[in-house]
Amino acid sequence: MLELYIVLILMIIGAIIAVETKSILSSIVALGKVGLGLTIAFLILKAPDLAIVQLVVEILTLIILIRATLGRDVKYTKENQNWGVKFLSIILIIIFLIFSYNVLQSLPEFGNPILKVADYYIENGMKETGAANLVTSVILDFRAFDTLGEATVLFTAILGALAVLRKNGIKDKDTKENKGVQGD
Amino acid sequence: MIYFLCFILFSIGLYSILTKRNLIKIIIGISIVDYAINLFFILVGYRMNGRSPILEKGEEIERIVDPLPQAVVLTSIVIGLAVTALLVAIAIRIYEKYGTFDINEIKELKG
């Protein structure tokens, strides 16, 4: 399990760089490093389907975020001078970590999960669905309604993004509002 | 201990959401929180020296990792991408209207 610790520590370092660096582009690239580290962690944790999906999603996230910043005049961010907000949020996070440390003691030890629902899936998944990949049998057969809900959420989010980004029909309203603002 | 490292990753994302002024940095923080939660689910389902949940002929179904968190997280990863795309679309519109990503300079959104 040493390699898992190494990957997690590298992910934490990448996250700190992504949050603290001033250049937006290097920050996005550091976020990509965190996501690819997550891919390797999934491979170590014996979840190959998730590793494939995470790799594709990570590359798409990188492209979307670079598209958002490319060609805009925001190469560098200004530092937040408000020390009160920083101090308060660090105190909040420390309290959160103390609580989470106490709660995590009550979880089963790492490497020994309590398989109760999944026992049924493992024993009967092959017989009832005929899928050799148990993850597929859970997604598409035992919990197919869950996947239907996922498709609904996905469709709604993409519909929202298109509605926000569309140019037609919104122009008249925009110019009117701009005129109103200038008039004020 | 490994759960705690995962929570440290979560709190880095939380810190970014709470203190940064740039909209892109806030989106990056949300993504980091997303990664940390997904990783935590998979860590809970892991079995020491386990096999991946893919059956082969003639092999015993023992020491297999938990397939349920993997199925749930597969859903969660894709939804995370859609949420990021929606946030970036809103950020692009805000930039077109106000010419900045800095949330302190967007006066009209102040509550």
Side-chain angles (χ1 to χ4, degrees):
Chain A
M1 278 296 98
L2 185 65
E3 63 267 25
L4 192 60
Y5 280 96
I6 293 171
V7 168
L8 255 171
I9 288 167
L10 283 178
M11 277 171 70
I12 288 172
I13 292 169
I16 291 172
I17 291 170
V19 169
E20 282 303 328
T21 188
K22 279 184 184 170
S23 159
I24 291 283
L25 200 59
S26 15
S27 163
I28 291 169
V29 172
L31 179 75
K33 175 187 172 296
V34 179
L36 294 179
L38 188 60
T39 309
I40 299 171
F42 281 157
L43 275 181
I44 295 170
L45 291 170
K46 302 285 180 336
D49 314 287
L50 290 182
I52 296 166
V53 173
Q54 176 65 38
L55 189 63
V56 174
V57 162
E58 182 49 48
I59 291 166
L60 283 178
T61 308
L62 209 70
I63 292 170
I64 292 171
L65 279 172
I66 286 178
R67 162 71 184 79
T69 53
L70 215 71
R72 290 170 218 282
D73 202 13
V74 277
K75 295 275 164 47
Y76 296 95
T77 55
K78 290 175 217 156
E79 264 309 298
N80 196 347
Q81 297 299 326
N82 198 346
W83 289 101
V85 174
K86 244 178 209 183
F87 186 65
L88 269 179
S89 33
I90 286 176
I91 286 179
L92 178 81
I93 284 167
I94 288 172
I95 291 171
F96 168 76
L97 281 179
I98 290 169
F99 271 103
S100 71
Y101 183 75
N102 288 327
V103 169
L104 287 177
Q105 306 297 323
S106 63
L107 271 179
E109 205 181 331
F110 177 65
N112 298 304
I114 319 166
L115 302 165
K116 275 186 185 153
V117 185
D119 260 346
Y120 181 80
Y121 293 156
I122 289 173
E123 278 168 20
N124 300 316
M126 187 68 182
K127 280 179 227 156
E128 291 190 8
T129 66
N133 191 342
L134 287 171
V135 178
T136 319
S137 74
V138 172
I139 284 181
L140 293 178
D141 201 295
F142 290 116
R143 296 192 172 225
F145 280 117
D146 204 0
T147 311
L148 184 68
E150 178 213 354
T152 314
V153 171
L154 209 63
F155 184 71
T156 316
I158 290 168
L159 209 67
L162 283 180
V164 168
L165 277 180
R166 90 198 150 110
K167 288 271 161 64
N168 299 334
I170 214 165
K171 261 182 186 170
D172 295 334
K173 208 180 165 190
D174 254 6
T175 46
K176 266 179 203 169
E177 275 176 10
N178 285 342
K179 273 174 195 168
V181 169
Q182 281 163 8
D184 288 342
Chain B
M1 178 61 198
I2 200 145
Y3 293 144
F4 195 63
L5 281 178
C6 196
F7 270 79
I8 289 174
L9 193 63
F10 179 91
S11 50
I12 290 168
L14 196 64
Y15 174 78
S16 177
I17 294 172
L18 286 176
T19 60
K20 294 296 167 188
R21 295 197 310 186
N22 194 304
L23 276 175
I24 299 294
K25 289 265 183 177
I26 293 174
I27 294 171
I28 286 173
I30 291 173
S31 295
I32 291 174
V33 169
D34 198 22
Y35 294 159
I37 301 277
N38 289 344
L39 183 60
F40 181 69
F41 260 65
I42 299 299
L43 284 175
V44 168
Y46 183 67
R47 183 183 283 274
M48 205 57 95
N49 302 320
R51 289 197 302 117
S52 53
I54 297 171
L55 301 174
E56 289 173 32
K57 248 181 196 173
E59 212 170 314
E60 287 181 19
I61 41 172
E62 275 187 5
R63 302 211 65 81
I64 214 163
V65 299
D66 197 342
L68 188 55
Q70 296 194 10
V72 173
V73 166
L74 197 64
T75 309
S76 161
I77 289 174
V78 180
I79 289 177
L81 175 68
V83 167
T84 308
L86 183 58
L87 285 172
V88 167
I90 294 171
I92 286 175
R93 288 306 282 190
I94 287 176
Y95 187 87
E96 280 176 6
K97 194 159 171 67
Y98 297 97
T100 178
F101 277 133
D102 196 330
I103 55 173
N104 279 10
E105 290 175 18
I106 303 168
K107 293 276 179 358
E108 287 180 32
L109 280 182
K110 260 186 185 168

